[in-house]
């Protein structure tokens, strides 16, 4: 039981750092992110809503005790990291590793969050 909690906190902590870095880039290095989104063919108006969604997802995972909301937060991170990975692969910019790490962290955090609730 204790091992499951340690793995959950470690993976979720690393996922949190990755998503906070990502959201911070969206807010504080906006021009760079606009260029990146344009090179991938994404509309730039989704930058701020996506950053806010990432922050809300983190708050949900850490502080909200509603399992349905946590499922939605994990689903959002799952699709965000998966689609980011393939977007970087498609444009061949070599930046897909952070998305791949995020994807693995989402899977680990999700699985060990489920194990924490099982008793």
């Amino acid at each position: 039981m204790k091992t499951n909690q340690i793995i959950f906190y470690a993976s979720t902590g690393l996922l949190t750092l990755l998503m906070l870095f990502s959201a911070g880039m969206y807010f504080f290095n906006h021009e760079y992110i606009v260029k990146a989104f344009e090179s991938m063919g994404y509309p730039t108006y989704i930058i701020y809503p996506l950053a806010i969604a990432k922050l809300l997802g983190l708050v949900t995972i850490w502080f909200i005790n509603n399992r349905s909301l946590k499922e939605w937060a994990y689903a959002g991170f799952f699709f965000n990291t998966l689609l980011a990975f393939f977007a970087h692969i498609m444009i061949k910019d070599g930046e897909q590793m952070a998305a791949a790490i995020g994807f693995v962290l989402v899977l680990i955090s999700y699985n060990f969050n489920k194990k924490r609730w099982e008793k």
Side-chain angles (χ1 to χ4, degrees):
M1 182 65 167
K2 190 173 185 178
T3 305
N4 290 345
Q5 286 185 330
I6 291 170
I7 294 171
F8 167 75
Y9 285 122
S11 62
T12 307
L14 291 171
L15 176 65
T16 299
L17 289 175
L18 183 66
M19 290 300 155
L20 285 175
F21 176 77
S22 174
M25 289 287 288
Y26 287 13
F27 285 121
F28 302 117
N29 201 356
H30 187 73
E31 291 305 315
Y32 175 77
I33 299 299
V34 165
K35 290 177 187 170
F37 270 58
E38 287 173 344
S39 72
M40 291 183 212
Y42 291 142
T44 57
Y45 62 81
I46 66 170
I47 293 172
Y48 289 130
L50 185 57
I52 292 168
K54 288 180 180 187
L55 296 175
L56 290 174
L58 292 174
V59 168
T60 301
I61 288 173
W62 283 107
F63 302 112
I64 307 297
N65 283 331
N66 184 319
R67 288 187 186 181
S68 295
L69 287 177
K70 283 186 191 267
E71 292 282 335
W72 279 101
Y74 277 115
F77 288 135
F78 175 86
F79 287 113
N80 179 260
T81 56
L82 181 68
L83 295 173
F85 176 78
F86 284 111
H88 287 292
I89 292 288
M90 294 301 291
I91 65 167
K92 298 179 176 108
D93 67 353
E95 299 288 328
Q96 66 270 12
M97 203 55 175
I101 291 168
F103 184 74
V104 170
L105 290 172
V106 168
L107 294 177
I108 294 170
S109 176
Y110 176 76
N111 285 322
F112 282 91
N113 182 49
K114 293 286 239 185
K115 288 182 181 184
R116 283 182 345 138
W117 288 101
E118 296 171 359
K119 292 183 182 182

